[in-house]
Amino acid sequence: MRQGTYLFTSESVSEGHPDKICDRISDAVVDAYLAAQPDARVAVETLVTTNKIVLAGEVRGPASISSQHLEELARAAVRDIGYEQDGFHWKNAEVDVWVHAQSVDIAQGVDAAGNKDEGAGDQGIMFGYACRETDELAPAPLHYSHRILQELARVRHGDANSPLGPDSKSQITLRYEDGAPVAVTSLVVSTQHAENASQEEIREIVRPVALDVLPEGWMCGEEAFYVNPTGKFVIGGPDGDTGLTGRKIIVDTYGGAAPHGGGAFSGKDPTKVDRSAAYAARYLAKNVVAADLADRCTIQLSYAIGVSHPLSIYVDLHGGGRVDEVALAKALPEIMDLSPRGIREDFDVNRPIYARTAAYGHFGRTPEDDGGFSWEKRDLTEALKSALS
C-alpha cells in the first residue's frame, strides 16, 4: 500500500446525466427480456439528445417484446428519472428503435451444445478491486461522490417544489496519510436547477447533504467547496449534452482507483463477460479483503469468445497480502466456477435486476433479497481461508 501523504480524486454522475439516462434505458431493456425469458440475449445501446432517444442493438428473446414495448420502456425510464423539460420530456421525445436479432455466428459460440459448455459472449479482460477505505470495501472518493448524488436525488424526488434538476455531477478529492483517507481537500457539485434558483440557494441545499454523507470532521473549507462553479446550470440533461450507453465505466466501477478492462456493463445480459465476469472479479476481490487476507486486492480475469473458462487469472495484493498471490490465483477457480454459466448460476443473475445498477455504481452496494447486487455478498471468506490455510 502506498505510504505518505497524497491526494486522490474521483467523480460520480447522477441518474439524470445524459450517459446515465442511456444506461438506465439499456438496462431496462435487459430487465424486460430477462423477465420474459431468463435465457434471453441482449446487447442494446441507447443515444439521447434534445428530445430524441435512439435504441439500437441485438437481441434473442420473445417476439412479444415489440418495438412499441421498447419505446414504452424508454419513456418510463425517462419519466422515473424526472425529465419533463422543454428540451427533453418523457412524453414528447421522439423515440427510434433499431433492434434486431442476434448474430447466429455469436450465438453458436456462446450456446452450450453437446459436450461444449456455454462460452463467453466476447473476448476481453475484466478487473475486480476491493480495499478497506469504507465499510463497503470500496474506494472512499468514489463512494462518497456516489452517496452525495444519491441523497440529492432523494431530496429532489421527495419535494415537488425542489429547485434541483435531474442532471448533476460530483467530484471529491481526499487527502491520504499512510495509505488511509483522512479528509476532503475539495468538493465539487454541479447540479441542474430551476431558472429562478440562485447559486447560493443551491449551495445551501448541497451543504447539509455533503455534511451528512461525509465522515465527521472531513468536510473541506468553504474556499474549496464548489457548487455550480460556472454560476448557472439550467440547461442540462440531453438538451445540453448528448448521452451514450457505457460512457461512464470508471464511474461504474472504482473511480480510477483500480484498472478497468474497457467493456461497459449496461445493456448487456449476463452471458456477456464484460458484465458478469467483472462482477465475479469484484466478488472475489471483496471476499479476499473481507477474509483479512489483504487490505487491498486487484484481480484480473481474461476470456475468449466461445471459450467457457478464463484464459488467465491474475492477483495483486499490493504488497500487503497475508497469503501468497500465486497460490491465491490458483485457488480462486477451485473455489468458484468462473465459466459464464457458473457465474450466472452462482449469482442467480438471469432475472430483472439491472436497471437499479445503472446509476451510483455497480459495486459497494448492498445485496438485495431479490438477487440485486448479489456479487456484493461476503459469503466466500471461509472457503478462501480454508483453501489457503
Side-chain angles (χ1 to χ4, degrees):
M1 180 178 294
R2 179 174 173 176
Q3 302 298 309
T5 300
Y6 59 94
L7 305 181
F8 192 83
T9 304
S10 294
E11 70 160 351
S12 180
V13 297
S14 73
E15 63 199 55
H17 185 280
D19 295 331
K20 282 292 152 195
I21 298 170
C22 295
D23 287 345
R24 171 72 175 271
I25 293 170
S26 294
D27 275 337
V29 173
V30 173
D31 283 352
Y33 273 95
L34 294 179
Q37 181 179 315
D39 64 349
R41 302 283 168 77
V42 185
V44 170
E45 316 291 339
T46 304
L47 175 148
V48 294
T49 187
T50 302
N51 270 331
K52 182 79 170 181
I53 303 170
V54 180
L55 280 72
E58 303 79 42
V59 297
R60 188 175 76 186
S64 60
I65 300 181
S66 63
S67 293
Q68 180 180 351
H69 184 45
L70 296 181
E71 177 181 338
E72 292 169 355
L73 288 172
R75 294 190 188 279
V78 174
R79 182 185 65 234
D80 289 346
I81 291 168
Y83 274 102
E84 295 185 343
Q85 301 171 1
D86 290 342
F88 195 68
H89 197 296
W90 66 270
K91 184 183 293 185
N92 301 330
E94 181 181 358
V95 181
D96 290 342
V97 178
W98 303 95
V99 176
H100 58 83
Q102 183 188 49
S103 161
V104 294
D105 291 343
I106 293 176
Q108 72 178 359
V110 177
D111 291 343
N115 293 325
K116 175 185 173 297
D117 196 1
E118 177 184 301
D122 201 353
Q123 71 176 50
I125 56 174
M126 300 84 207
F127 287 93
Y129 178 73
C131 62
R132 294 197 178 280
E133 295 179 13
T134 61
D135 291 342
E136 293 78 8
L137 304 184
L142 182 64
H143 171 78
Y144 294 118
S145 294
H146 283 325
R147 298 296 86 81
I148 286 173
L149 294 186
Q150 277 186 302
E151 290 304 313
L152 286 174
R154 289 192 181 98
V155 170
R156 175 174 61 86
H157 285 297
D159 180 2
N161 297 315
S162 172
L164 300 179
D167 190 1
S168 59
K169 303 178 75 171
S170 62
Q171 181 175 290
I172 292 179
T173 300
L174 294 185
R175 185 175 81 251
Y176 284 71
E177 294 180 358
D178 295 328
V182 296
V184 176
T185 63
S186 66
L187 170 59
V188 184
V189 177
S190 295
T191 179
Q192 190 181 19
H193 58 83
E195 179 75 51
N196 61 356
S198 69
Q199 184 181 26
E200 188 57 32
E201 180 183 355
I202 301 302
R203 187 182 183 90
E204 293 309 310
I205 294 173
V206 174
R207 182 188 286 104
V209 169
L211 287 169
D212 186 58
V213 166
L214 294 169
E216 186 175 358
W218 277 32
M219 183 65 174
C220 60
E222 286 296 303
E223 74 285 352
F225 176 42
Y226 304 95
V227 176
N228 288 350
T230 65
K232 186 177 181 180
F233 186 7
V234 174
I235 299 172
D239 192 29
D241 191 12
T242 300
L244 293 168
T245 300
R247 205 159 56 171
K248 287 293 179 285
I249 57 178
I250 301 303
V251 169
D252 286 342
T253 54
Y254 308 106
H260 191 292
F265 300 159
S266 292
K268 298 175 181 177
D269 73 80
T271 66
K272 278 70 172 178
V273 286
D274 278 341
R275 180 168 221 158
S276 56
Y279 291 173
R282 159 64 178 175
Y283 172 66
L284 293 172
K286 184 174 184 178
N287 276 269
V288 166
V289 174
D292 198 32
L293 303 180
D295 295 323
R296 294 171 63 204
C297 178
T298 299
I299 292 175
Q300 184 202 58
L301 305 174
S302 72
Y303 289 82
I305 188 169
V307 179
S308 61
H309 288 279
L311 305 183
S312 66
I313 301 173
Y314 167 79
V315 175
D316 182 1
L317 301 181
H318 302 275
R322 289 173 277 283
V323 293
D324 180 73
E325 291 166 331
V326 174
L328 178 56
K330 290 180 179 178
L332 293 179
E334 299 174 3
I335 296 170
M336 180 181 182
D337 182 350
L338 291 171
S339 68
R341 175 188 52 76
I343 295 170
R344 290 190 300 103
E345 292 178 354
D346 195 345
F347 294 152
D348 195 12
V349 287
N350 277 79
R351 42 183 170 168
I353 58 172
Y354 295 105
R356 72 193 72 169
T357 71
Y360 313 119
H362 293 244
F363 309 130
R365 309 289 288 269
T366 301
E368 298 174 346
D369 292 341
D370 67 350
F373 302 104
S374 56
W375 48 92
E376 288 294 304
K377 297 181 295 184
R378 307 186 190 201
D379 56 357
L380 208 63
T381 57
E382 294 305 316
L384 283 165
K385 291 176 184 178
S386 177
L388 293 160
S389 61

